[in-house]
Amino acid sequence: MTKKWVKNSKKTTHKIVPLRLKPCSFFVMIKKTLPKFPVLTFGLPFEGSLDSSNRWVQLAGSFPWEAIETAYHSKMCADNGRPSLPARLVLGALIIKHYLNISDAETILQIQENPYLQYFVGLEVFQKAPIFDPSLFVAIRTRLGGDGIAAIEKAIAQSVRSYLDSQVPAKGSTTQPTSDDAPPEQDPPIADKRANATSTQDETEQDTTTQTEAQVTHRGHLKIDATVAPQKIKFPTDLDLLNEARKKTDNYIDLLCAQLNLPRQNFRTYRRIAYKNYLNIAKKKKKKKKELQVGIRQQLGYLKRNLLFVKALIEQVRSNEPQATLKGWRKKELKEYETIQKLYEQQRKMYDNKKRTCERRIVSISQPDVRPIVRGKQHVSTEFGAKIGIATVDGITTIDNFSWEAYNENQDLETHINRYKELYGVLPESVNADRIYLTQKNRALAKQLGFRLIGKPLGRPKKEDQTAKAKRIAQVERNQRNIVEGKIGQTKNRYGLDRIAAKTNETTRVWVTCCIIATNIARWLKALSLCPFKIWYYIRNYLSYYFIFVNNTFFNIQ
């Protein structure tokens, strides 16, 4: 209780009034701010040497750098030109970018701040300066191309497979398939039974030869599927494409008029009226079919007028000199001008014939290679990008086919088999694929090459296949194909395969392949026991809990 003096207006009296204080005010102590020290005295978080158990340190020690450098240097001149940066530096940065799924500029900053990343890219001493400018990533992708990145993917996939095979206990050979992909409840091969049986010396040698030949010809279980790598573009509509093409041709007319010193007013393009007509339809939430037809017809008229003006101006520029350069026109503008001409022809043909589809339809002026691919998925019916054929073996994923055109993926089976033999030197024992791959042609190919195509057989089902156990085994075996579906989802959700930001054909191929390489690196790190969810992780936590809270040795409690 504290005292408080209260003074009235009539007379002065003294009484005791209780004060309500905050309950925590008695337990708060004022602490003065310590003086600021110079930055140079700040202690670094790392001292001495790097941790040998770090994921980037162990990954750098087992990475196939020689094969990667060979693939990178294959397109360079040995005795002419400016010296390039080390292959491990630039390609290591490219791998870090896609594994962490960050931008080009953020990749350089992460390497600049992290000593483990600098060790991975081959630096011997920690440096504060950026390793190179982020814009160099575009030149790296262009220099690699499709062939270079395919060679790197092959080297990494073979290295991961060699490491996985080295971890499997040897049974007559060090290249046995892992237990994760083995068919469930299946008897061992006949060759293994013969090798284990007791017989004479001649029979043993013959069985060993049979076993070796069987392992060399067929080994492993292949899972295949196809997906689309969507490009990072605006959703294309006919009205938007025509409006964008009209704007670009207006800019071309401005550049040509400036080069010829002609007044711009002589070429009436009605750009303000055309843009106003476009907005009157584009801003509507629900667009009627007749309104869209009217808008498309108007934009086609404006675009046709602009193309005639551009053609006449270019002929005037090159009237005296056929190879005269167009001032202000880069390679990008020249390529887009050709694309706009094709776009106008396609849109005019579809409008005249009252159709909504055409062959090799252009959906992006800046990326004319992109095609609409109908997938029939639940969330989106059409995707815009490249269609790729993916194969998975023991968690190792590769791209076996890359195409910008829509096609039936059942044609890829022979391509997958050839790529499997190229990577691992043998044919697969079985191929697990979607129902669309189970054609008569593919079944005949499987019978010819001696592998098993998992799926429902043709004809009337056999009586032994109708039992509950046989159905359960067949269903479990078909469900193994979910592994490749999971790899596709992992690559799209975690490593950026759902939005490809590359612009050209070759750089897109490199970008997509790097996303797949990132999944293989994740599989490699899991095999190296670098995942945080490890058994020893739980054991360590349990022991810490036991000694601290149960045994009371941490607090020295009797």
Side-chain angles (χ1 to χ4, degrees):
M1 187 73 66
T2 56
K3 294 182 180 181
K4 182 178 181 180
W5 298 97
V6 181
K7 184 176 181 181
N8 297 332
S9 58
K10 295 182 181 179
K11 57 180 180 180
T12 303
T13 58
H14 304 281
K15 62 180 180 178
I16 297 175
V17 179
L19 294 179
R20 295 181 179 180
L21 302 177
K22 296 181 179 180
C24 61
S25 60
F26 297 100
F27 305 100
V28 177
M29 181 181 65
I30 298 176
K31 185 178 181 180
K32 295 183 179 180
T33 305
L34 297 177
K36 295 183 178 181
F37 294 98
V39 180
L40 296 178
T41 59
F42 184 80
L44 295 176
F46 50 89
E47 297 178 358
S49 60
L50 300 177
D51 185 10
S52 60
S53 62
N54 184 269
R55 56 177 179 172
W56 296 107
V57 175
Q58 294 199 10
L59 190 63
S62 54
F63 223 68
W65 294 114
E66 294 182 1
I68 290 177
E69 290 179 357
T70 302
Y72 183 69
H73 293 154
S74 61
K75 295 186 178 181
M76 294 184 181
C77 184
D79 55 355
N80 191 12
R82 181 178 61 86
S84 65
L85 295 174
R88 178 173 176 177
L89 182 70
V90 294
L91 296 179
L94 187 65
I95 292 171
I96 291 172
K97 173 214 165 15
H98 287 280
Y99 181 76
L100 300 180
N101 194 16
I102 53 181
S103 63
D104 296 348
E106 182 65 22
T107 302
I108 301 301
L109 292 177
Q110 290 285 350
I111 298 175
Q112 184 180 354
E113 299 166 357
N114 195 328
Y116 289 100
L117 297 182
Q118 293 191 12
Y119 176 82
F120 179 76
V121 298
L123 297 181
E124 298 180 357
V125 182
F126 180 79
Q127 67 178 32
K128 300 179 181 179
I131 55 174
F132 54 80
D133 192 82
S135 61
L136 185 61
F137 277 110
V138 181
I140 295 171
R141 299 188 190 98
T142 306
R143 185 178 298 125
L144 276 175
D147 298 335
I149 197 63
I152 294 175
E153 181 197 29
K154 178 181 178 181
I156 294 176
Q158 290 177 341
S159 299
V160 179
R161 184 56 187 262
S162 300
Y163 180 82
L164 294 178
D165 290 343
S166 64
Q167 301 301 313
V168 178
K171 296 182 181 179
S173 175
T174 58
T175 57
Q176 293 289 336
T178 59
S179 59
D180 295 338
D181 290 339
E185 302 185 20
Q186 190 175 11
D187 295 335
I190 299 177
D192 293 342
K193 293 181 179 179
R194 293 179 179 175
N196 296 330
T198 57
S199 59
T200 60
Q201 183 177 2
D202 296 337
E203 292 177 351
T204 304
E205 293 177 358
Q206 183 179 0
D207 294 339
T208 305
T209 305
T210 306
Q211 179 185 8
T212 305
E213 292 176 357
Q215 291 176 354
V216 169
T217 55
H218 294 80
R219 183 178 67 249
H221 306 279
L222 177 64
K223 305 170 185 64
I224 59 176
D225 200 359
T227 186
V228 176
Q231 292 290 123
K232 189 178 178 181
I233 61 173
K234 180 184 176 182
F235 187 85
T237 62
D238 296 338
L239 188 64
D240 292 341
L241 287 173
L242 291 173
N243 177 68
E244 182 182 359
R246 181 193 56 79
K247 286 184 177 180
K248 290 183 178 295
T249 51
D250 284 335
N251 296 333
Y252 300 158
I253 294 173
D254 295 341
L255 293 174
L256 293 171
C257 289
Q259 182 177 356
L260 295 171
N261 295 324
L262 297 176
R264 181 62 178 80
Q265 294 77 10
N266 294 347
F267 303 91
R268 303 179 62 181
T269 57
Y270 304 96
R271 62 176 66 186
R272 294 183 181 179
I273 299 176
Y275 187 61
K276 184 177 180 181
N277 294 337
Y278 163 74
L279 290 180
N280 290 337
I281 300 175
K283 285 186 175 181
K284 291 185 178 181
K285 187 175 182 180
K286 294 183 179 180
K287 306 174 183 63
K288 297 181 180 180
K289 185 177 179 180
K290 291 185 178 180
E291 293 176 345
L292 286 175
Q293 291 295 325
V294 171
I296 291 173
R297 178 171 54 81
Q298 292 175 346
Q299 297 299 324
L300 283 172
Y302 296 131
L303 181 58
K304 180 180 179 181
R305 184 195 303 267
N306 289 2
L307 289 175
L308 292 175
F309 285 153
V310 173
K311 183 178 180 181
L313 290 172
I314 291 176
E315 291 177 354
Q316 187 174 353
V317 170
R318 295 178 174 175
S319 58
N320 298 327
E321 186 179 354
Q323 301 297 330
T325 58
L326 304 176
K327 294 183 179 179
W329 289 56
R330 300 171 295 177
K331 292 183 179 179
K332 178 181 178 181
E333 280 74 14
L334 294 173
K335 185 177 179 181
E336 287 182 350
Y337 175 60
E338 296 178 358
T339 304
I340 289 173
Q341 292 177 331
K342 297 179 182 178
L343 174 66
Y344 172 77
E345 294 176 0
Q346 291 181 357
Q347 294 293 332
R348 171 59 69 178
K349 186 177 180 180
M350 287 190 294
Y351 178 80
D352 295 339
N353 298 331
K354 297 182 180 180
K355 294 183 179 180
R356 300 180 61 183
T357 58
C358 67
E359 186 179 359
R360 301 180 61 85
R361 184 174 181 178
I362 296 174
V363 296
S364 175
I365 298 176
S366 59
Q367 303 179 47
D369 295 328
V370 180
R371 298 284 181 267
I373 298 178
V374 179
R375 297 287 293 165
K377 300 297 183 180
Q378 183 178 2
H379 63 286
V380 58
S381 60
T382 305
E383 294 178 320
F384 306 93
K387 191 170 184 179
I388 56 178
I390 290 180
T392 301
V393 182
D394 292 340
I396 307 170
T397 309
T398 57
I399 296 179
D400 295 345
N401 192 14
F402 185 94
S403 176
W404 287 104
E405 303 295 336
Y407 67 96
N408 195 333
E409 53 262 31
N410 60 23
Q411 307 171 8
D412 289 344
L413 180 60
E414 187 174 359
T415 305
H416 288 299
I417 298 300
N418 294 334
R419 184 71 191 283
Y420 186 92
K421 189 174 182 180
E422 178 187 354
L423 288 175
Y424 308 117
V426 293
L427 294 174
E429 295 179 6
S430 63
V431 176
N432 203 333
D434 198 1
R435 189 178 302 175
I436 195 173
Y437 290 88
L438 303 178
T439 61
Q440 292 185 358
K441 181 180 179 181
N442 291 340
R443 293 176 189 271
L445 179 65
K447 185 177 181 180
Q448 177 184 357
L449 298 180
F451 64 87
R452 189 165 57 95
L453 188 60
I454 298 175
K456 186 177 180 180
L458 297 177
R460 180 176 297 179
K462 299 180 181 180
K463 185 179 296 184
E464 56 269 17
D465 296 338
Q466 296 300 310
T467 61
K469 182 178 179 181
K471 290 182 179 179
R472 184 175 67 254
I473 293 175
Q475 183 63 35
V476 171
E477 192 175 27
R478 286 193 297 268
N479 290 344
Q480 292 294 319
R481 197 185 66 85
N482 295 338
I483 296 176
V484 66
E485 296 282 359
K487 283 294 180 181
I488 294 175
Q490 177 189 10
T491 313
K492 287 190 174 183
N493 298 329
R494 173 63 180 84
Y495 300 109
L497 189 64
D498 57 337
R499 297 190 72 185
I500 307 301
K503 302 297 182 182
T504 63
N505 192 346
E506 293 296 325
T507 56
T508 301
R509 179 81 177 270
V510 174
W511 189 297
V512 172
T513 309
C514 287
C515 294
I516 298 298
I517 290 175
T519 62
N520 294 334
I521 292 176
R523 178 70 176 91
W524 203 345
L525 292 176
K526 183 179 179 181
L528 289 171
S529 299
L530 298 177
C531 183
F533 305 102
K534 295 182 286 190
I535 297 177
W536 68 265
Y537 182 82
Y538 294 105
I539 294 176
R540 186 187 65 179
N541 291 347
Y542 175 77
L543 293 177
S544 302
Y545 171 80
Y546 176 81
F547 286 111
I548 293 176
F549 297 102
V550 179
N551 199 19
N552 295 329
T553 56
F554 185 82
F555 299 103
N556 295 325
I557 299 177
Q558 300 297 333

